[in-house]
Each structure stands twice: as structure tokens, then as C-alpha cells.
Amino acid sequence: MSGSMIAGLAGAGLSLAGGISSYYASKANASIARAQGRIDNSVAQANATALELQGQYNAAVQRNNAIGVANQKKFENSVIKANRTALAQKAEISREKLLRDVRGAQAELAVRNPGVSQDVLNSIEVDAFSQMADQDIELSLQMQSMGEQITENTRQAALTTVYGEMQAQNTLQGANNNAFFTRLSGRNAMSSANLRAGQMKLQAKSDLIGSFASSASSAAQYIK
């Protein structure tokens, strides 16, 4: 066997060994690509779950805040109603006291002045009724103001509850949308990695077959 033949066969063998080595390296790279795709997908799924949980937490906070404001308004209404009841009771007590004072003043005047006219006695009562009318007007205005405040608090409580629920629903929807696209990106990353890995393996097989063919052709030239 001549030296050139030996060198040729050795070259063909080295070429074949290089092709085999390249084939296994490509297979390893394909496996790494698939593993990276699985990792990227797992991270994306975990991030998506975290987005959902964060959205649920934020929505719960928004609901609770709205409920807190609504409850505060309801508490304010309970205070106003209690004050209104107390004010009405106080006015009634004041009215009864004023009437007693009028009757007492009339009786005292009649005793001290037996000949006092009925008109004088009636004037004391008229003055008292005029005073009670002024008090009733003031009481009515205060009651009206309290009633308006109760109505406004009730309106704000209802609006706050509705708005808080809308905020919570929007927050949940936004979080779910972000989670959906995050999961989708993870699956796409894994699919892309698998596709690249498949292409690597296919190319590696093709290169390996080419190496066999090239080596065989080279060896055949020197064996002839």
C-alpha cells in the first residue's frame, strides 16, 4: 500500500470522524435547545400564575377599599340619624317645657292679678307659640340638612361600591389577559425551541450521511 493511499484513507477516516463528532455535537445542542425551551415555558407559566395571583390580590384590595369607604358613609349616616333623633327629642322637651312655663306664668299672673284680662293671658301664650314657631323653623332646616347629608352619603356609598367592583373586575381582566399572553409566549418559545432542535438533528443526520458518502468516495479513489 503506497504512502499516498494510506494518507488518503487516513484523510477519509478523519473526515468521517469529524462528521460523526459534528453529528453528536448537533444532537447535544438540540437537546440543550429543547431543555431551554422547556425552562422558558416553565418560567412563563410561573410568571403567568404570579400575574393572576397579583391581580386577584389587587382586586381584593380595591373591593375592600370601596367597602371601607361605603361602610364609613353608612357609619356617618348612623351618627346623623342618632343626632337627628336626639335633636327632635330635645326640641320636643324644650317645647313641653315652654308650654309648662307659659301655663305657670299665666297661673301666677292670674293669682297676683285676679282681674287680669284674658287678652293679657293670651298674649303670653301667643309669645310662646311665636317662639316655638321660630324653633320649629330652625329645627326643620336642621332636619332637612341632615336628610340631605344622609341621601348624599347613601349615594356615595352606592357609587363607591359599584366603582370599586368595576375597578376590581378591570384589574382581574387585565391580569388574566397578561397571564394568557405570558403563557402563550412560553408555549411559543418551547415550540420554537423544539422546531430548532428538530432542524438541528435533521441537519446533523444530513451532514453525517454526507460525511459517510464523502469518506466512502475518497476511500474508493485510493483503493482502485
Side-chain angles (χ1 to χ4, degrees), residues 136-219:
D136 287 344
I137 291 174
E138 183 180 354
L139 176 63
S140 178
L141 292 175
Q142 289 178 308
M143 289 293 188
Q144 181 181 353
S145 177
M146 288 179 169
E148 291 173 352
Q149 186 60 53
I150 289 173
T151 300
E152 179 61 19
N153 283 344
T154 301
R155 185 187 71 84
Q156 289 183 13
L159 287 177
T160 299
T161 301
V162 171
Y163 182 66
E165 182 59 30
M166 289 175 57
Q167 275 190 314
Q169 290 297 331
N170 289 338
T171 297
L172 284 175
Q173 188 60 50
N176 290 338
N177 289 343
N178 290 337
F180 171 79
F181 288 111
T182 299
R183 286 195 175 95
L184 182 62
S185 68
R187 290 193 291 268
N188 288 341
M190 187 168 65
S191 296
S192 178
N194 289 337
L195 179 62
R196 290 197 308 273
Q199 291 172 340
M200 288 179 188
K201 291 186 69 174
L202 183 62
Q203 185 62 46
K205 288 180 181 179
S206 177
D207 292 344
L208 182 61
I209 292 172
S211 295
F212 274 114
S214 177
S215 298
S217 176
S218 297

Coordinates of all heavy atoms in Angstrom, one line a residue, residues 136-219:
D136 N -89.2 75.7 65.6 CA -89.6 74.7 64.7 C -89.0 74.9 63.3 O -88.6 74.0 62.6 CB -91.2 74.6 64.6 CG -91.8 74.0 65.8 OD1 -91.1 73.4 66.6 OD2 -93.0 74.2 66.0
I137 N -89.0 76.2 62.9 CA -88.3 76.5 61.6 C -86.9 76.2 61.6 O -86.3 75.5 60.7 CB -88.5 78.0 61.3 CG1 -90.0 78.4 61.0 CG2 -87.6 78.4 60.1 CD1 -90.3 79.8 60.8
E138 N -86.2 76.5 62.7 CA -84.8 76.2 62.8 C -84.6 74.7 62.8 O -83.7 74.1 62.2 CB -84.2 76.8 64.1 CG -82.7 76.5 64.2 CD -82.1 77.2 65.5 OE1 -82.9 77.9 66.2 OE2 -80.9 76.9 65.8
L139 N -85.5 74.0 63.6 CA -85.4 72.5 63.6 C -85.6 71.9 62.3 O -84.9 71.0 61.8 CB -86.4 72.0 64.6 CG -86.5 70.5 64.7 CD1 -85.2 69.9 65.3 CD2 -87.6 70.1 65.7
S140 N -86.6 72.4 61.5 CA -86.9 71.9 60.2 C -85.7 72.1 59.3 O -85.4 71.2 58.5 CB -88.1 72.7 59.6 OG -88.4 72.2 58.3
L141 N -85.1 73.2 59.3 CA -83.9 73.4 58.5 C -82.8 72.5 58.8 O -82.1 71.9 57.9 CB -83.4 74.9 58.6 CG -84.3 76.0 58.0 CD1 -83.8 77.4 58.4 CD2 -84.5 75.8 56.5
Q142 N -82.6 72.3 60.1 CA -81.5 71.3 60.5 C -81.9 69.9 60.1 O -81.0 69.2 59.6 CB -81.4 71.4 62.1 CG -80.7 72.6 62.6 CD -80.6 72.7 64.1 OE1 -81.6 72.4 64.8 NE2 -79.4 72.9 64.6
M143 N -83.1 69.5 60.2 CA -83.6 68.2 59.8 C -83.4 68.0 58.3 O -83.0 66.9 57.8 CB -85.0 68.0 60.2 CG -85.3 67.8 61.7 SD -84.6 66.3 62.3 CE -85.2 66.3 64.0
Q144 N -83.7 69.0 57.6 CA -83.6 69.0 56.1 C -82.1 68.8 55.7 O -81.8 68.0 54.8 CB -84.2 70.2 55.5 CG -84.1 70.2 53.9 CD -84.6 71.5 53.3 OE1 -85.2 72.4 54.0 NE2 -84.5 71.7 52.0
S145 N -81.2 69.6 56.4 CA -79.8 69.5 56.1 C -79.3 68.1 56.4 O -78.5 67.5 55.6 CB -79.0 70.5 56.9 OG -77.6 70.4 56.7
M146 N -79.7 67.5 57.5 CA -79.3 66.2 57.9 C -79.8 65.1 56.9 O -79.1 64.2 56.5 CB -79.8 65.8 59.3 CG -79.1 66.6 60.4 SD -79.8 66.2 62.0 CE -78.5 66.9 63.1
G147 N -81.1 65.3 56.5 CA -81.7 64.4 55.5 C -80.9 64.4 54.2 O -80.7 63.4 53.6
E148 N -80.5 65.6 53.8 CA -79.8 65.7 52.5 C -78.4 65.1 52.6 O -77.9 64.4 51.7 CB -79.6 67.2 52.2 CG -80.9 67.9 51.7 CD -80.7 69.4 51.5 OE1 -79.7 69.9 51.9 OE2 -81.7 70.0 51.1
Q149 N -77.8 65.2 53.8 CA -76.5 64.6 54.0 C -76.6 63.1 54.0 O -75.7 62.4 53.5 CB -75.9 65.1 55.4 CG -74.5 64.6 55.6 CD -73.5 65.0 54.6 OE1 -73.4 66.2 54.3 NE2 -72.7 64.1 54.0
I150 N -77.7 62.6 54.6 CA -77.9 61.1 54.6 C -78.1 60.6 53.2 O -77.5 59.6 52.8 CB -79.1 60.8 55.5 CG1 -78.8 61.0 56.9 CG2 -79.6 59.3 55.2 CD1 -80.0 60.8 57.9
T151 N -78.9 61.3 52.4 CA -79.1 61.0 51.0 C -77.8 61.0 50.2 O -77.5 60.1 49.4 CB -80.1 61.9 50.3 OG1 -81.3 61.9 51.0 CG2 -80.3 61.6 48.9
E152 N -76.9 62.0 50.4 CA -75.7 62.1 49.7 C -74.7 61.0 50.1 O -74.0 60.4 49.3 CB -75.0 63.5 50.0 CG -73.7 63.7 49.3 CD -73.7 63.6 47.8 OE1 -74.8 63.7 47.2 OE2 -72.6 63.4 47.2
N153 N -74.7 60.7 51.4 CA -73.8 59.6 51.9 C -74.2 58.3 51.3 O -73.4 57.4 50.9 CB -73.8 59.5 53.4 CG -73.0 60.6 54.1 OD1 -72.1 61.2 53.4 ND2 -73.2 60.9 55.4
T154 N -75.6 58.1 51.3 CA -76.1 56.8 50.7 C -75.7 56.7 49.2 O -75.3 55.7 48.7 CB -77.6 56.8 50.8 OG1 -78.0 56.9 52.2 CG2 -78.2 55.5 50.3
R155 N -75.8 57.8 48.5 CA -75.5 57.9 47.1 C -74.0 57.6 46.9 O -73.6 56.7 46.0 CB -75.8 59.2 46.5 CG -75.6 59.3 45.0 CD -75.8 60.8 44.5 NE -74.7 61.6 44.9 CZ -73.6 61.7 44.3 NH1 -73.3 61.0 43.2 NH2 -72.6 62.6 44.7
Q156 N -73.1 58.2 47.7 CA -71.7 58.0 47.6 C -71.3 56.6 47.9 O -70.4 56.0 47.3 CB -71.0 59.0 48.5 CG -71.0 60.4 48.0 CD -70.2 61.3 48.9 OE1 -69.4 60.9 49.7 NE2 -70.4 62.6 48.7
A157 N -72.0 56.0 48.9 CA -71.7 54.6 49.3 C -72.0 53.7 48.2 O -71.2 52.7 47.9 CB -72.5 54.3 50.6
A158 N -73.2 53.9 47.5 CA -73.6 53.0 46.4 C -72.6 53.2 45.3 O -72.2 52.2 44.7 CB -75.0 53.3 46.0
L159 N -72.3 54.4 44.9 CA -71.4 54.6 43.8 C -70.0 54.1 44.1 O -69.3 53.5 43.2 CB -71.2 56.1 43.5 CG -72.4 56.8 42.9 CD1 -72.2 58.3 42.7 CD2 -72.7 56.2 41.5
T160 N -69.5 54.2 45.3 CA -68.2 53.7 45.7 C -68.1 52.2 45.5 O -67.2 51.6 45.0 CB -67.8 54.1 47.1 OG1 -67.8 55.5 47.2 CG2 -66.5 53.6 47.5
T161 N -69.2 51.5 46.0 CA -69.3 50.1 45.9 C -69.3 49.6 44.4 O -68.5 48.7 44.0 CB -70.5 49.6 46.6 OG1 -70.5 50.0 48.0 CG2 -70.6 48.0 46.5
V162 N -70.1 50.3 43.6 CA -70.1 49.9 42.2 C -68.8 50.2 41.5 O -68.3 49.4 40.7 CB -71.3 50.7 41.5 CG1 -71.2 50.5 40.0 CG2 -72.6 50.3 42.0
Y163 N -68.2 51.4 41.8 CA -66.9 51.7 41.1 C -65.8 50.8 41.6 O -65.0 50.4 40.8 CB -66.6 53.2 41.5 CG -65.3 53.7 40.9 CD1 -65.2 53.8 39.5 CD2 -64.2 54.0 41.6 CE1 -64.0 54.2 38.9 CE2 -63.0 54.4 41.1 CZ -62.9 54.5 39.7 OH -61.7 55.0 39.1
G164 N -65.8 50.5 42.9 CA -64.8 49.5 43.4 C -64.9 48.2 42.7 O -63.9 47.6 42.4
E165 N -66.1 47.7 42.5 CA -66.3 46.4 41.8 C -65.9 46.5 40.4 O -65.2 45.6 39.8 CB -67.8 46.0 41.9 CG -68.1 44.6 41.3 CD -67.3 43.5 41.9 OE1 -67.0 43.6 43.1 OE2 -67.0 42.5 41.2
M166 N -66.2 47.6 39.7 CA -65.7 47.8 38.3 C -64.2 47.8 38.3 O -63.6 47.2 37.4 CB -66.2 49.1 37.8 CG -67.7 49.1 37.5 SD -68.4 50.7 36.9 CE -67.3 51.1 35.5
Q167 N -63.5 48.5 39.2 CA -62.1 48.5 39.2 C -61.5 47.1 39.4 O -60.6 46.7 38.8 CB -61.6 49.4 40.4 CG -61.5 50.9 40.0 CD -60.8 51.7 41.2 OE1 -61.1 51.5 42.3 NE2 -59.9 52.5 40.8
A168 N -62.1 46.4 40.3 CA -61.7 45.0 40.6 C -61.8 44.1 39.4 O -60.9 43.4 39.1 CB -62.5 44.5 41.8
Q169 N -63.0 44.2 38.7 CA -63.2 43.4 37.5 C -62.2 43.8 36.4 O -61.6 42.9 35.7 CB -64.6 43.6 37.0 CG -65.7 43.0 37.9 CD -65.6 41.5 38.0 OE1 -65.1 40.8 37.1 NE2 -66.0 41.0 39.2
N170 N -61.9 45.1 36.2 CA -60.9 45.5 35.2 C -59.5 45.0 35.6 O -58.7 44.6 34.7 CB -60.9 47.0 35.1 CG -62.2 47.6 34.5 OD1 -62.9 46.8 33.7 ND2 -62.5 48.8 34.7
T171 N -59.2 45.1 36.9 CA -57.9 44.6 37.3 C -57.8 43.1 37.1 O -56.7 42.6 36.6 CB -57.7 44.9 38.8 OG1 -57.7 46.3 39.0 CG2 -56.4 44.3 39.4
L172 N -58.8 42.3 37.4 CA -58.8 40.9 37.2 C -58.7 40.6 35.7 O -57.9 39.7 35.3 CB -60.0 40.2 37.7 CG -60.1 40.0 39.3 CD1 -61.5 39.5 39.7 CD2 -59.0 39.1 39.7
Q173 N -59.4 41.3 34.9 CA -59.4 41.0 33.4 C -58.0 41.4 32.9 O -57.5 40.6 32.0 CB -60.5 41.9 32.7 CG -60.6 41.6 31.2 CD -61.0 40.1 31.0 OE1 -62.0 39.7 31.6 NE2 -60.3 39.5 30.1
G174 N -57.4 42.5 33.3 CA -56.1 42.8 32.8 C -55.1 41.8 33.2 O -54.2 41.4 32.4
A175 N -55.1 41.3 34.5 CA -54.2 40.3 35.0 C -54.4 39.0 34.2 O -53.4 38.4 33.8 CB -54.4 40.1 36.5
N176 N -55.6 38.6 33.9 CA -55.9 37.4 33.2 C -55.4 37.5 31.8 O -54.9 36.5 31.2 CB -57.4 37.1 33.2 CG -57.9 36.6 34.6 OD1 -57.1 36.2 35.4 ND2 -59.1 36.8 34.8
N177 N -55.6 38.7 31.2 CA -55.1 38.9 29.8 C -53.5 38.8 29.7 O -53.0 38.1 28.9 CB -55.5 40.2 29.3 CG -57.0 40.3 28.9 OD1 -57.7 39.2 28.8 ND2 -57.6 41.5 28.8
N178 N -52.9 39.4 30.7 CA -51.4 39.4 30.7 C -50.9 37.9 31.0 O -49.9 37.5 30.4 CB -50.9 40.3 31.9 CG -51.1 41.8 31.5 OD1 -51.2 42.1 30.4 ND2 -51.1 42.6 32.5
A179 N -51.7 37.2 31.9 CA -51.3 35.8 32.1 C -51.5 35.0 30.9 O -50.6 34.1 30.6 CB -52.1 35.3 33.3
F180 N -52.5 35.2 30.2 CA -52.8 34.4 28.9 C -51.7 34.6 27.9 O -51.1 33.6 27.4 CB -54.1 34.9 28.3 CG -54.4 34.3 27.0 CD1 -54.8 33.0 26.8 CD2 -54.1 35.0 25.8 CE1 -55.1 32.4 25.6 CE2 -54.4 34.5 24.6 CZ -54.8 33.1 24.4
F181 N -51.3 35.9 27.7 CA -50.3 36.1 26.7 C -48.9 35.7 27.2 O -48.0 35.3 26.4 CB -50.2 37.6 26.3 CG -51.4 38.0 25.4 CD1 -52.4 38.8 25.9 CD2 -51.5 37.5 24.2 CE1 -53.5 39.2 25.1 CE2 -52.6 37.9 23.4 CZ -53.6 38.7 23.9
T182 N -48.7 35.7 28.5 CA -47.4 35.2 29.1 C -47.3 33.7 28.9 O -46.3 33.2 28.5 CB -47.3 35.6 30.6 OG1 -47.3 37.0 30.7 CG2 -46.0 35.0 31.1
R183 N -48.4 33.0 29.2 CA -48.4 31.6 28.9 C -48.2 31.2 27.5 O -47.5 30.3 27.1 CB -49.7 31.0 29.4 CG -49.9 30.9 30.9 CD -51.0 29.9 31.4 NE -51.0 29.8 32.8 CZ -51.8 30.5 33.6 NH1 -52.6 31.4 33.1 NH2 -51.7 30.3 34.9
L184 N -48.9 32.0 26.6 CA -48.8 31.8 25.2 C -47.3 32.0 24.7 O -46.8 31.2 23.9 CB -49.7 32.7 24.4 CG -49.8 32.6 22.9 CD1 -50.2 31.2 22.5 CD2 -50.7 33.6 22.3
S185 N -46.7 33.0 25.2 CA -45.3 33.3 24.8 C -44.4 32.1 25.3 O -43.4 31.7 24.6 CB -44.8 34.6 25.4 OG -44.7 34.5 26.9
G186 N -44.7 31.5 26.5 CA -43.9 30.4 26.9 C -44.1 29.2 26.0 O -43.1 28.5 25.7
R187 N -45.3 28.9 25.7 CA -45.6 27.8 24.8 C -45.0 28.0 23.4 O -44.4 27.1 22.8 CB -47.1 27.5 24.6 CG -47.7 27.0 25.9 CD -49.1 26.5 25.6 NE -50.1 27.6 25.4 CZ -50.8 28.2 26.3 NH1 -50.7 27.9 27.5 NH2 -51.6 29.2 25.9
N188 N -45.0 29.2 22.9 CA -44.4 29.6 21.6 C -42.9 29.4 21.7 O -42.3 28.9 20.7 CB -44.8 31.0 21.2 CG -46.2 31.1 20.8 OD1 -46.9 30.2 20.5 ND2 -46.7 32.4 20.8
A189 N -42.3 29.8 22.8 CA -40.9 29.6 23.0 C -40.5 28.2 23.0 O -39.5 27.8 22.4 CB -40.4 30.3 24.3
M190 N -41.3 27.3 23.7 CA -41.0 25.9 23.7 C -41.1 25.3 22.3 O -40.3 24.5 21.9 CB -41.8 25.2 24.7 CG -41.5 23.7 24.9 SD -42.3 23.0 26.3 CE -44.0 23.1 25.8
S191 N -42.2 25.7 21.6 CA -42.4 25.2 20.2 C -41.3 25.6 19.3 O -40.8 24.8 18.5 CB -43.8 25.7 19.7 OG -44.9 25.2 20.5
S192 N -40.9 26.8 19.4 CA -39.8 27.3 18.6 C -38.5 26.6 18.9 O -37.8 26.2 18.0 CB -39.6 28.8 18.8 OG -38.5 29.3 18.1
A193 N -38.3 26.3 20.2 CA -37.1 25.6 20.6 C -37.1 24.1 20.0 O -36.1 23.6 19.5 CB -36.9 25.6 22.1
N194 N -38.3 23.5 20.1 CA -38.4 22.2 19.6 C -38.2 22.1 18.1 O -37.6 21.2 17.5 CB -39.8 21.6 19.9 CG -39.9 21.3 21.4 OD1 -38.9 21.1 22.1 ND2 -41.2 21.2 21.9
L195 N -38.7 23.2 17.4 CA -38.6 23.2 16.0 C -37.1 23.4 15.6 O -36.6 22.7 14.7 CB -39.4 24.4 15.4 CG -39.3 24.6 13.9 CD1 -39.8 23.4 13.1 CD2 -40.1 25.9 13.5
R196 N -36.4 24.3 16.3 CA -35.0 24.5 16.1 C -34.2 23.2 16.3 O -33.3 22.8 15.6 CB -34.4 25.6 16.9 CG -34.9 27.0 16.6 CD -34.0 28.1 17.2 NE -33.8 27.9 18.6 CZ -34.6 28.4 19.5 NH1 -35.7 29.0 19.1 NH2 -34.4 28.2 20.8
A197 N -34.6 22.5 17.4 CA -33.9 21.2 17.8 C -34.1 20.2 16.7 O -33.2 19.5 16.3 CB -34.4 20.7 19.1
G198 N -35.3 20.1 16.2 CA -35.6 19.2 15.1 C -34.8 19.5 13.9 O -34.3 18.6 13.2
Q199 N -34.7 20.8 13.6 CA -33.9 21.2 12.4 C -32.4 20.9 12.6 O -31.7 20.4 11.6 CB -34.1 22.7 12.1 CG -35.5 23.0 11.7 CD -35.7 24.5 11.6 OE1 -35.0 25.3 12.2 NE2 -36.7 25.0 10.8
M200 N -31.9 21.0 13.8 CA -30.5 20.7 14.1 C -30.3 19.2 13.9 O -29.3 18.8 13.3 CB -30.2 21.1 15.5 CG -30.1 22.6 15.8 SD -29.7 22.9 17.6 CE -29.9 24.7 17.7
K201 N -31.2 18.4 14.4 CA -31.0 17.0 14.3 C -31.1 16.5 12.8 O -30.3 15.7 12.4 CB -32.0 16.2 15.1 CG -31.8 16.4 16.6 CD -32.8 15.5 17.4 CE -32.5 14.1 17.3 NZ -33.3 13.2 18.1
L202 N -32.0 17.1 12.1 CA -32.2 16.8 10.7 C -30.9 17.2 9.9 O -30.4 16.4 9.1 CB -33.4 17.5 10.1 CG -33.7 17.1 8.7 CD1 -34.0 15.7 8.5 CD2 -34.9 18.0 8.2
Q203 N -30.4 18.4 10.2 CA -29.2 18.8 9.5 C -28.0 18.0 9.9 O -27.2 17.6 9.1 CB -28.9 20.3 9.9 CG -27.8 20.9 9.1 CD -28.0 20.9 7.6 OE1 -29.1 21.3 7.2 NE2 -27.0 20.5 6.8
A204 N -28.0 17.6 11.2 CA -26.9 16.7 11.7 C -26.9 15.4 10.9 O -25.8 14.8 10.5 CB -27.0 16.5 13.2
K205 N -28.1 14.8 10.8 CA -28.2 13.5 10.1 C -27.8 13.7 8.6 O -27.0 12.8 8.0 CB -29.6 13.0 10.1 CG -30.0 12.5 11.5 CD -31.5 12.0 11.5 CE -31.9 11.5 12.9 NZ -33.3 11.1 12.9
S206 N -28.2 14.8 8.0 CA -27.8 15.0 6.6 C -26.3 15.2 6.5 O -25.7 14.6 5.6 CB -28.6 16.3 6.1 OG -28.2 16.6 4.8
D207 N -25.7 15.9 7.4 CA -24.3 16.1 7.4 C -23.5 14.8 7.6 O -22.5 14.5 7.0 CB -23.8 17.2 8.4 CG -24.3 18.6 8.1 OD1 -24.7 18.8 6.9 OD2 -24.3 19.4 9.0
L208 N -24.1 14.0 8.5 CA -23.4 12.7 8.8 C -23.5 11.8 7.6 O -22.5 11.2 7.2 CB -24.1 12.0 10.0 CG -23.5 10.7 10.4 CD1 -22.1 10.8 10.8 CD2 -24.4 10.0 11.5
I209 N -24.6 11.8 6.9 CA -24.7 11.0 5.7 C -23.8 11.5 4.6 O -23.1 10.7 3.9 CB -26.2 11.0 5.2 CG1 -27.1 10.3 6.1 CG2 -26.3 10.4 3.8 CD1 -28.6 10.4 5.8
G210 N -23.7 12.8 4.5 CA -22.8 13.4 3.6 C -21.3 13.0 3.9 O -20.5 12.8 3.0
S211 N -21.0 13.0 5.2 CA -19.7 12.6 5.6 C -19.4 11.2 5.2 O -18.3 10.9 4.7 CB -19.5 12.8 7.1 OG -19.6 14.1 7.5
F212 N -20.3 10.3 5.5 CA -20.1 8.9 5.0 C -19.9 8.8 3.5 O -19.0 8.1 3.1 CB -21.4 8.1 5.5 CG -21.3 7.6 6.9 CD1 -22.2 8.0 7.8 CD2 -20.3 6.6 7.2 CE1 -22.1 7.5 9.1 CE2 -20.3 6.1 8.5 CZ -21.2 6.6 9.5
A213 N -20.7 9.5 2.8 CA -20.6 9.4 1.4 C -19.3 10.0 0.9 O -18.7 9.4 0.0 CB -21.8 10.2 0.7
S214 N -18.9 11.1 1.5 CA -17.7 11.8 1.1 C -16.5 10.9 1.4 O -15.5 10.7 0.6 CB -17.5 13.1 1.8 OG -16.3 13.7 1.5
S215 N -16.5 10.3 2.6 CA -15.4 9.4 3.0 C -15.3 8.2 2.2 O -14.2 7.8 1.8 CB -15.6 9.0 4.5 OG -15.6 10.2 5.3
A216 N -16.5 7.6 1.9 CA -16.5 6.4 1.0 C -16.0 6.7 -0.4 O -15.2 5.9 -1.0 CB -17.9 5.9 0.9
S217 N -16.4 7.9 -0.9 CA -15.9 8.3 -2.2 C -14.4 8.5 -2.2 O -13.7 8.1 -3.1 CB -16.6 9.6 -2.6 OG -16.2 10.0 -3.9
S218 N -13.9 9.2 -1.2 CA -12.5 9.4 -1.1 C -11.7 8.1 -1.0 O -10.7 7.9 -1.6 CB -12.2 10.3 0.1 OG -12.8 11.6 -0.1
A219 N -12.2 7.2 -0.1 CA -11.5 5.9 0.1 C -11.5 5.1 -1.2 O -10.5 4.5 -1.5 CB -12.2 5.2 1.2

